[in-house]
Amino acid sequence: MMIIDFTRFSGIIARQRFNSIKKEIFRKSIHICSSLVPFFLSIAHNLTIIFLICAVVIYSLSEALRLKGIDIPLISRITETAARKRDENRFVLGPVTLVFGILIAAVFLPVKSAEIGIFALSFGDGFASLIGKLLGKVSIPGAGGKTVAGSLACFLAVYISTFCASGNCLISLLIAVCAMIIEVFPLKDFDNMIIPILIGTVYAQLATFL
């Protein structure tokens, strides 16, 4: 009986882990897709800004209705599928902070700086969560469950994306270090705002001197 119960318990744990990984992959796939925003900004800047504002307004209204038991086709389904356990029965804030971070970077930073900041958010934060969830074994003390593997993934993703955008090895290295440090802090959904703005600003300063 104990062996059967243990086997059943192990199966439940395995299914929960699988569902958690599947949810994280889906959520971060959306996150990584935000890397396309700089392209759209380059061909239709004002129209892209308007689209992002409309998207966050529509999403916010959808979330408010969902919490009242009124589902909006597709939007509510995507939100429920991507939401973390901590977001159950709450307004899922992640998409709002994601769009606001991108918007602020796009409006107030130079084009290249905004691009670097958005890439750091899309690839750095995106791959940090995915690799941390899939391969992370060693947690970083005081980082809210974040792992060494996730931080290294963030560093590599930001270094590669920044180098592809800037062609400067030193700046790419410094930006990757900054992004990795920011990502370690347990900022929850607010890292979506902090990363593109701060990384874009740091890049703007570094590009002036290096």
Side-chain angles (χ1 to χ4, degrees):
M1 180 65 68
M2 290 182 64
I3 294 176
I4 294 174
D5 288 344
F6 178 76
T7 302
R8 183 181 303 168
F9 177 75
S10 298
I12 292 172
I13 295 298
R15 282 195 299 273
Q16 289 177 340
R17 176 169 171 75
F18 174 77
N19 289 334
S20 175
I21 291 174
K22 185 170 67 173
K23 186 182 288 286
E24 192 70 11
I25 290 173
F26 179 77
R27 196 174 67 84
K28 287 304 178 180
S29 294
I30 298 173
H31 203 86
I32 291 171
C33 283
S34 65
S35 63
L36 295 173
V37 172
F39 168 73
F40 291 113
L41 286 169
S42 69
I43 60 176
H45 186 275
N46 292 339
L47 186 60
T48 302
I49 295 297
I50 292 171
F51 174 81
L52 290 172
I53 293 172
C54 290
V56 78
V57 169
I58 292 170
Y59 170 80
S60 297
L61 291 173
S62 171
E63 271 298 271
L65 291 172
R66 184 179 68 85
L67 293 177
K68 292 181 180 295
I70 304 172
D71 284 347
I72 304 299
L74 185 61
I75 300 176
S76 296
R77 178 60 178 166
I78 291 174
T79 301
E80 290 174 354
T81 303
R84 290 169 167 168
K85 188 173 181 61
R86 73 184 187 209
D87 293 321
E88 289 180 359
N89 303 315
R90 296 174 54 189
F91 188 104
V92 181
L93 193 61
V96 176
T97 57
L98 178 73
V99 174
F100 269 124
I102 291 172
L103 273 172
I104 294 170
V107 171
F108 294 104
L109 293 176
V111 174
K112 181 61 67 175
S113 300
E115 181 183 19
I116 297 295
I118 293 169
F119 283 167
L121 171 64
S122 303
F123 298 119
D125 189 52
F127 281 107
S129 294
L130 283 177
I131 299 302
K133 181 74 72 173
L134 292 170
L135 304 176
K137 301 295 182 182
V138 181
S139 296
I140 300 173
K146 296 184 179 183
T147 65
V148 172
S151 292
L152 290 176
C154 175
F155 174 85
L156 288 173
V158 175
Y159 177 82
I160 292 171
S161 62
T162 303
F163 180 75
C164 289
S166 69
N168 189 307
C169 290
L170 179 57
I171 288 180
S172 300
L173 178 64
L174 295 173
I175 289 293
V177 170
C178 289
M180 182 177 65
I181 292 171
I182 296 169
E183 194 276 332
V184 166
F185 286 97
L187 301 171
K188 296 186 178 180
D189 291 320
F190 290 99
D191 60 354
N192 291 338
M193 293 182 65
I194 294 171
I195 289 175
I197 297 168
L198 190 55
I199 291 299
T201 302
V202 170
Y203 174 81
Q205 297 302 313
L206 290 174
T208 303
F209 299 104
L210 298 177

